[in-house]
Amino acid sequence: MGDSTILTVEVSRGTTHDGPGIRTTVFTKGCPLSCRWCQNPESLSARQEVWYTADKCIGCLECVRACKKAALVAGEDGIHINRGACAGCGGCSAACPAKALAVTSTEWTVDELVREVMRDKVYYDEFGGGVTVSGGEPLMHAVFLEEFFQKLKAQGVHIAMDTCGHVPEASIMKAMSYADAVLFDIKLMDAGQHKALTGRSNELIQNNFETIAAYIRSANHNIDKSQHPESQPSAPQCPELLPSAPQCRKVALWVRTPLIPGDTDTDDNLGRIADYLISRAADVVERWELCTFNAACAAKYAKMQMPWPYAGRAMMKQSEVDKIKALIISKGFPGEKLVVTGLIKQGA
């Protein structure tokens, strides 16, 4: 796989929470972070991988015989995959009659992926949606995405970019040429906690967030000038941050924070994020989305044969969510911009 192709773990149709309207979300493979709570563990590595559904296994060992790398070992509780030895070739999954083994991702060229998402163009047009790229971290594949975005823009498709922010600034700004919405993750404000729980510092993430905020602020200013030419006689210009931008247009900025029990959902962390957003991007953030804890991904961890660190944690209660919202609003963040998504347990 190179710049001409990309691996996706899923192309999800009809999503309503990955940007405005009804959307098709492309989940790419590979991420620079290793968040302890990651909902898509199969997307962490940029390489093709195989996962295993133990309940389907019939114990025939055809997979073990088919593996040329000797990466599969049969145990009393089923097949164990040596990730270090596995080449991700898919030979074992092809040999498995019960489909207990499967590759985690699909490889696409730009044109193939454009054709796939354009199958939903009628829904984008009818319901004000478009295409969202997520991950993993899609901007790890900036060269591929630039061509992908160009071809979608040529057909009038609204583009949203969901990013963790830990990528080179150049990759961010290339994507900003085409993005109509940016969904930006801000998980933790404390640098030490961020590194401990995601594997990386948050310095680059915050720098990129502030660069995006400045870009959008500049673009909005130029749009305002173009709409009121009598007060601004000079011709509107696209932001100097990216002179190659195809047009000046409004770009929506949504912030996302996962509410992880004991890790990101603390009063200190959420209060500090609120202070940060108010001081650095209050004029350009349209929405702050709090994503409630979800243990549904535990099944994926089992298939990847990885431990799920939050086993036994219950979903959030409505009373807990209400307390968090009250805290954030008390800091001065506008309540009308605060959105909670995900499952919530009703009652006390």
Side-chain angles (χ1 to χ4, degrees), residues 70-93:
L72 303 182
V73 178
E76 292 184 2
D77 55 348
I79 301 298
H80 294 267
I81 304 169
N82 180 344
R83 298 286 171 192
C86 178
C89 67
C92 58
S93 61

Side-chain angles (χ1 to χ4, degrees), residues 60-67 90-99 101:
C60 67
L61 303 187
E62 289 297 324
C63 59
V64 175
R65 287 186 280 271
C67 181
C92 58
S93 61
C96 178
K99 306 302 179 186
L101 289 154

